[in-house]
């Protein structure tokens, strides 16, 4: 049976990590996958995480199964972070949370729920979006459409084109919005724009799905939830797929969540029961370790403070590196955009959409062993003082 199987195309992002590992060039640089690195180029385990793991080793009472929706304490901690501790939504039953294997798992569970329960739904994705969004929802059986997002002449949000494209959304459709630190562009709407987008989605009778994988990487944990809160103020039904891969550095532990906000607790319970069937068919119940680490950190005030300070350090390093990258390009006379390189400092989160063309990206890889995503997305969180000059010299060479 396997004789007729042809090789699949490598993944647009993780495939580059495989190619990077196979590259023999000792000076190779991987700025493709969205993983944070410190000044030394290492992806650290956060001290708060290590402390929580030590605590778990002594205190985890069992390795028996979690419920289909995961640990209730983790669900509550997730809602605290999303909505704010004082929000009614944390405990009033209108919002239910599923612990899921990573943000990807949460998105796939959401896709399965939508495909099984909302016949005829089209899912709208920004153009561009995270490459895996298309595959996840296609695999779930949901048709997708794209809405305009980026003005590539200025590398800023093309709000008029975005809202014009979203005017074609039909009742019952789902509009996926990146909660902050848009992947791949780093370009986020203002709060006023969020309000206008939420109003448009509500007026269309559509459901917003917020992909919230980078909370804390733009301005701070609370500030980064402003877009989500603007949507919640306007829409009474929302899906949220969140992830702790980046903000807790728990990448390989696969820690994410799907949170459903419904108009009332009984509707939330009905949706919850449908999602339980989707999870049971897929992976039965989620893995415990990483989620219990997050739950413990968020239930302990001093560990929470430690985590917030480590998150601030990561965010500050990335933002400092945005300035260094802009200056290093300026000093070589490289201008990635007609309006200059200032956009690099205005974008949020790990990524900058550089404006480099596919050919230039291919040359960076072939001639300089520098790996960035084909769309021109650079992981700023992977740039260090020791690879910055080599990166900028290579960019100067490929744009010349
Ligand atoms: C990315 O966009 O690089 C990350 O979200 C990692 C991934 O799984 O693609």
């Amino acid at each position: 049976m396997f004789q007729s199987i042809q090789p699949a195309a490598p993944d647009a992002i993780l495939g580059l990590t495989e190619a990077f590992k196979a590259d023999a060039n000792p000076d190779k640089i991987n700025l493709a996958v969205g993983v944070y690195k410190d000044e030394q180029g290492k992806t650290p385990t956060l001290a708060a995480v290590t402390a929580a793991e030590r605590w778990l080793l002594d205190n985890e009472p069992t390795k028996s199964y979690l419920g289909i929706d995961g640990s209730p304490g983790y669900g509550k901690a997730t809602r605290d972070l999303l909505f704010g501790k004082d929000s009614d939504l944390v405990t009033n039953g209108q919002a239910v949370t599923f612990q899921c294997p990573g943000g990807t798992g949460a998105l796939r569970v959401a896709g399965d729920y939508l495909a099984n329960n909302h016949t005829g739904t089209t899912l709208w994705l920004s153009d561009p979006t995270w490459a895996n969004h298309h595959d996840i929802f296609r695999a779930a059986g949901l048709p997708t459409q794209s809405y305009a997002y980026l003005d590539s002449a200025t590398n800023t949000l093309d709000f008029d084109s975005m809202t014009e494209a979203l005017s074609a959304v039909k009742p019952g459709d789902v509009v996926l919005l990146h909660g902050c630190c848009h992947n791949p562009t780093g370009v986020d709407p203002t709060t006023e724009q969020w309000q206008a987008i939420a109003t448009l989605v509500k007026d269309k009778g559509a459901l917003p799905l917020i992909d919230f994988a980078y909370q804390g990487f733009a301005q701070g944990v609370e500030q980064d939830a402003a877009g989500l809160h603007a949507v919640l103020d306007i829409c009474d039904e929302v899906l949220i797929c969140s992830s702790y891969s980046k903000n807790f550095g728990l990448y390989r532990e696969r820690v994410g969540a799907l949170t459903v906000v419904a108009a009332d607790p009984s509707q939330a319970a009905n949706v919850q029961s449908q999602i339980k069937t989707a999870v049971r068919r897929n992976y039965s119940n989620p893995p415990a370790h990483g989620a219990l680490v997050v739950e413990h950190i968020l239930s302990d005030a001093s560990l929470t403070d430690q985590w917030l300070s480590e998150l601030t350090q990561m965010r500050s390093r990335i933002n400092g590196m945005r300035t260094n990258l802009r200056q290093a390009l300026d000093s070589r006379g490289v201008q990635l955009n007609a309006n200059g390189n200032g956009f690099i400092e205005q974008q949020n989160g790990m990524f900058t959409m550089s404006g480099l063309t596919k050919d230039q990206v291919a040359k960076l890889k072939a001639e300089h062993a520098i790996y960035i995503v084909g769309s021109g997305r650079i992981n700023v969180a992977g740039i260090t003082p020791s690879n910055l000059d080599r990166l900028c010299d290579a960019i100067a060479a490929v744009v010349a």
Side-chain angles (χ1 to χ4, degrees):
M1 287 175 69
F2 298 156
Q3 262 176 353
S4 59
I5 301 298
Q6 299 301 308
D11 181 78
I13 297 172
L14 300 184
L16 288 168
T17 300
E18 290 167 11
F20 174 81
K21 283 186 180 156
D23 191 328
N25 187 326
D27 297 323
K28 61 188 177 179
I29 305 174
N30 186 2
L31 302 176
V33 66
V35 169
Y36 175 81
K37 303 224 178 99
D38 62 18
E39 297 261 299
Q40 285 70 45
K42 299 269 178 287
T43 302
T45 304
L46 301 190
V49 165
T50 303
E53 288 184 311
R54 288 213 175 90
W55 182 90
L56 269 182
L57 202 56
D58 291 333
N59 293 284
E60 190 177 12
T62 179
K63 291 288 184 187
S64 182
Y65 294 123
L66 288 173
I68 295 176
D69 48 358
S71 162
Y74 172 85
K76 178 179 176 303
T78 295
R79 292 192 295 281
D80 280 344
L81 269 193
L82 295 176
F83 306 135
K85 280 185 195 302
D86 297 334
S87 165
D88 291 345
L89 285 175
V90 174
T91 52
N92 72 2
Q94 255 180 278
V96 292
T97 302
F98 279 76
Q99 176 188 325
C100 293
T104 305
L107 288 161
R108 178 59 197 262
V109 170
D112 285 346
Y113 161 75
L114 292 167
N116 291 337
N117 294 279
H118 298 274
T119 314
T121 289
T122 293
L123 185 111
W124 290 76
L125 294 167
S126 63
D127 178 20
T129 193
W130 182 44
N132 206 23
H133 276 152
H134 294 280
D135 291 337
I136 290 170
F137 292 108
R138 195 176 304 126
L142 275 183
T144 57
Q145 288 239 32
S146 289
Y147 60 86
Y149 193 79
L150 187 72
D151 175 358
S152 39
T154 55
N155 273 352
T156 56
L157 181 63
D158 186 349
F159 185 66
D160 290 344
S161 300
M162 177 185 186
T163 47
E164 192 188 320
L166 288 177
S167 66
V169 166
K170 302 264 179 319
D173 283 354
V174 179
V175 179
L176 188 148
L177 302 158
H178 298 228
C180 70
C181 308
H182 181 273
N183 180 1
T185 66
V187 171
D188 293 325
T190 62
T191 302
E192 292 70 34
Q193 288 170 334
W194 270 108
Q195 287 162 345
I197 295 163
T199 305
L200 198 161
V201 171
K202 185 181 170 142
D203 289 350
K204 290 285 170 192
L207 176 69
L209 188 169
I210 312 292
D211 185 352
F212 205 25
Y214 294 88
Q215 187 176 8
F217 274 87
Q219 284 156 38
V221 168
E222 282 174 27
Q223 298 91 321
D224 292 359
L228 169 65
H229 292 180
V231 172
L232 289 165
D233 285 345
I234 291 164
C235 305
D236 53 9
E237 295 180 343
V238 184
L239 298 181
I240 306 153
C241 295
S242 53
S243 165
Y244 297 112
S245 293
K246 325 279 171 169
N247 52 13
F248 280 76
L250 280 166
Y251 307 89
R252 64 172 61 177
E253 300 296 353
R254 313 308 299 134
V255 200
L258 166 61
T259 298
V260 181
V261 180
D264 65 49
S266 81
Q267 290 180 26
N270 290 344
V271 175
Q272 182 184 39
S273 71
Q274 291 294 342
I275 296 178
K276 279 187 182 171
T277 65
V279 169
R280 176 63 170 149
R281 283 178 205 147
N282 194 341
Y283 53 86
S284 268
N285 43 64
H289 181 73
L292 296 184
V293 167
V294 169
E295 180 178 336
H296 182 62
I297 293 172
L298 294 178
S299 65
D300 178 300
S302 90
L303 282 181
T304 301
D305 285 349
Q306 185 171 14
W307 164 62
L308 286 171
S309 111
E310 293 184 278
L311 178 56
T312 301
Q313 275 174 31
M314 292 195 277
R315 183 175 62 246
S316 307
R317 197 190 90 72
I318 298 170
N319 288 338
M321 196 43 80
R322 287 185 177 279
T323 301
N324 296 350
L325 176 61
R326 202 254 310 142
Q327 286 171 345
L329 291 170
D330 286 352
S331 72
R332 285 163 176 79
V334 174
Q335 192 155 325
L336 291 176
N337 185 278
N339 297 309
N341 297 318
F343 69 89
I344 296 172
E345 286 167 286
Q346 283 147 26
Q347 296 169 346
N348 290 323
M350 286 192 172
F351 307 120
T352 185
M353 195 67 161
S354 63
L356 291 168
T357 64
K358 274 205 177 331
D359 283 351
Q360 291 164 343
V361 172
K363 275 191 180 165
L364 276 180
K365 181 172 161 213
E367 295 170 16
H368 303 274
I370 294 176
Y371 292 72
I372 70 170
V373 176
S375 59
R377 185 192 86 170
I378 295 177
N379 177 24
V380 182
I383 306 176
T384 65
S386 52
N387 67 25
L388 177 68
D389 283 329
R390 201 172 105 64
L391 168 69
C392 292
D393 288 344
I395 292 177
V398 301
V399 301

